Amino acid sequence: AQTVTQSQPEMSVQEAETVTLSCTYDTSENNYYLFWYKQPPSRQMILVIRQEAYKQQNATENRFSVNFQKAAKSFSLKISDSQLGDTAMYFCAFMIPEGAQKLVFGQGTRLTINP
Amino acid sequence: GAGVSQSPSNKVTEKGKDVELRCDPISGHTALYWYRQSLGQGLEFLIYFQGNSAPDKSGLPSDRFSAERTGGSVSTLTIQRTQQEDSAVYLCASSLVTFAGARPLHFGNGTRLTVT
């Protein structure tokens, strides 16, 4: 079974700073996807970024980038030039692209951006 | 167009009562998921519907939980004889099914269930 671990329950940084959220996972599969989702107070899960395991290049989306270390089974999210609107819960998730494509989530990191 | 819609937004019920939670997926999305988010936890998979295929119920925690999807569209998650540990946010997501790669999931805003 796959597991996803986020070891930082809470983080807090000042606006405009860079912050890195950690995520590790465990799997014996070779073909999989990793995701970071953002959950603001509205409760809606919003996809921030995704990484395909067979791609060595780290994914980037504007201010968001990942550091994907496949051998170490690590998938951290870096938020550059943080903004007040980045305040939310962030979840790391794992998925095997077969069948139901169920997402396996970590416990989440509550990120607060302070003005 | 409209996103995934869930109702009610919040539900408070007494222990032992039955509750029904509703999900309206995005029109045309054949895949529908229910996830549960307990306090301080990540989401856990409950059930998956895809078209007319038999649902994947492997995540349902007990036989008090059931779900159906009528006409390949609206889905209802039913919890019978609710217990306090059922208190959580129940999130629905829908997706188009593609034949390669990861499907982009569209989540609703969830139903917060509180069992007193």
Side-chain angles (χ1 to χ4, degrees):
Chain A
Q2 288 77 27
T3 60
V4 178
T5 302
Q6 293 178 250
S7 59
Q8 304 152 312
E10 295 188 22
M11 295 190 72
S12 178
V13 299
Q14 296 299 118
E15 190 176 9
E17 289 183 347
T18 294
V19 60
T20 299
L21 308 183
S22 300
C23 172
T24 58
Y25 60 95
D26 188 25
T27 185
S28 58
E29 299 288 333
N30 198 44
N31 181 29
Y32 52 87
Y33 286 76
L34 295 162
F35 304 86
W36 279 97
Y37 279 89
K38 170 184 178 181
Q39 187 182 42
S42 68
R43 299 195 303 244
Q44 186 180 34
M45 298 290 282
I46 301 167
L47 179 65
V48 174
I49 199 166
R50 78 179 205 181
Q51 175 80 39
E52 296 155 67
Y54 65 86
K55 288 188 176 179
Q56 293 191 347
Q57 186 174 7
N58 289 325
T60 62
E61 288 288 342
N62 301 312
R63 297 183 295 109
F64 299 86
S65 62
V66 298
N67 183 4
F68 173 47
Q69 301 289 328
K70 190 172 183 179
K73 297 180 181 174
S74 171
F75 183 62
S76 61
L77 173 70
K78 185 172 80 171
I79 306 174
S80 303
D81 186 26
S82 57
Q83 301 174 359
L84 297 179
D86 296 332
T87 294
M89 284 290 291
Y90 286 80
F91 292 94
C92 179
F94 171 100
M95 185 266 280
I96 297 171
E98 299 171 357
Q101 294 196 358
K102 306 167 194 175
L103 288 166
V104 177
F105 286 87
Q107 305 92 321
T109 295
R110 182 176 301 280
L111 176 64
T112 302
I113 309 300
N114 298 308
Chain B
V4 177
S5 178
Q6 292 189 246
S7 61
S9 179
N10 294 282
K11 175 73 176 177
V12 180
T13 190
E14 293 180 353
K15 178 180 173 181
K17 300 280 190 181
D18 297 352
V19 294
E20 285 189 353
L21 312 180
R22 177 187 170 105
C23 172
D24 279 275
I26 293 173
S27 178
H29 281 193
T30 57
L32 187 149
Y33 300 79
W34 284 98
Y35 284 86
R36 178 170 73 173
Q37 183 179 14
S38 301
L39 184 64
Q41 301 294 317
L43 282 69
E44 59 173 328
F45 167 81
L46 295 178
I47 189 168
Y48 163 72
F49 296 91
Q50 164 49 28
N52 295 321
S53 301
D56 179 340
K57 304 179 182 179
S58 59
L60 294 179
S62 77
D63 59 7
R64 296 186 296 104
F65 287 72
S66 63
E68 61 178 23
R69 189 178 185 192
T70 54
S73 180
V74 172
S75 178
T76 302
L77 176 68
T78 301
I79 309 173
Q80 296 178 310
R81 305 181 301 281
T82 52
Q83 303 294 312
Q84 288 187 330
E85 61 263 29
D86 299 334
S87 295
V89 174
Y90 291 82
L91 286 156
C92 177
S94 71
S95 177
L96 286 170
V97 175
T98 58
F99 294 100
R103 305 163 193 158
L105 283 187
H106 301 262
F107 282 87
N109 289 348
T111 295
R112 181 180 297 281
L113 175 66
T114 303
V115 181
T116 61

